[in-house]
Amino acid sequence: MKHKLYQVDGDLLRFGFWGLVAGVAILVIVSVIDGWANAIPANRALQGKSVAALVKAAKKDVADLRITRPAGNNAAEKLLEIQRREPQHIGAQVIRTKAAGIYLAKAERTLKSNRFKKTLAFLIRARQVDPLSPRLAELEKQLYASAK
């Protein structure tokens, strides 16, 4: 069965499984670029702070669930600044894993209830915080398998 690329009456795009895969790829790229773009002004404000102060502030942001938002005052931006200064900082890696874990837990719950768009949104946010997470990769595979 061929899918219509554009349905005029409903104004809906229909791509099927591979469309979802392409959409995920585009959203990931856009979210990463958007995250970097939003982090640039914040980095200037964070440059005067010590790494220890940034770690403390990032911990507080995660505890207050300010992980990727609001722009200019969130854990992801502080973690980027720490990584820029000290790429192997253990404290930052622990915070990054915990912050991404919050989004990944939400993604798991929404995936179980077949809410794929919501799952995708949580996976994109988790990728902004910890793009190399093996758990993130596993959940993405599960999302793709479920969407087939």
Side-chain angles (χ1 to χ4, degrees), residues 36 51 54 76-89 92-93 96 128-132:
W36 288 338
V51 171
L54 290 170
E77 293 173 6
K78 292 172 179 88
L79 291 168
L80 279 173
E81 180 62 23
I82 295 166
Q83 183 177 2
R84 187 184 68 77
R85 292 186 200 176
E86 294 183 30
Q88 301 302 321
H89 193 282
Q93 290 174 355
R96 183 177 293 111
Q128 287 177 327
V129 180
D130 191 6
L132 301 177

Side-chain angles (χ1 to χ4, degrees), residues 45-136:
L46 297 174
Q47 285 178 351
K49 294 185 178 184
S50 70
V51 171
L54 290 170
V55 169
K56 184 177 179 180
K59 282 182 185 177
K60 179 161 178 23
D61 286 345
V62 171
D64 294 342
L65 298 178
R66 286 191 313 266
I67 299 170
T68 57
R69 291 188 269 180
N73 185 25
N74 63 61
E77 293 173 6
K78 292 172 179 88
L79 291 168
L80 279 173
E81 180 62 23
I82 295 166
Q83 183 177 2
R84 187 184 68 77
R85 292 186 200 176
E86 294 183 30
Q88 301 302 321
H89 193 282
I90 298 297
Q93 290 174 355
V94 169
I95 297 167
R96 183 177 293 111
T97 301
K98 180 178 180 179
I102 292 169
Y103 285 134
L104 294 172
K106 291 179 180 186
E108 284 176 335
R109 284 194 301 271
T110 56
L111 183 60
K112 287 178 184 174
S113 61
N114 294 329
R115 296 181 348 205
F116 300 130
K117 288 182 182 179
K118 196 72 169 168
T119 302
L120 180 58
F122 288 131
L123 292 177
I124 289 170
R125 290 205 180 137
R127 183 170 294 285
Q128 287 177 327
V129 180
D130 191 6
L132 301 177
S133 167
R135 188 171 163 209
L136 171 64

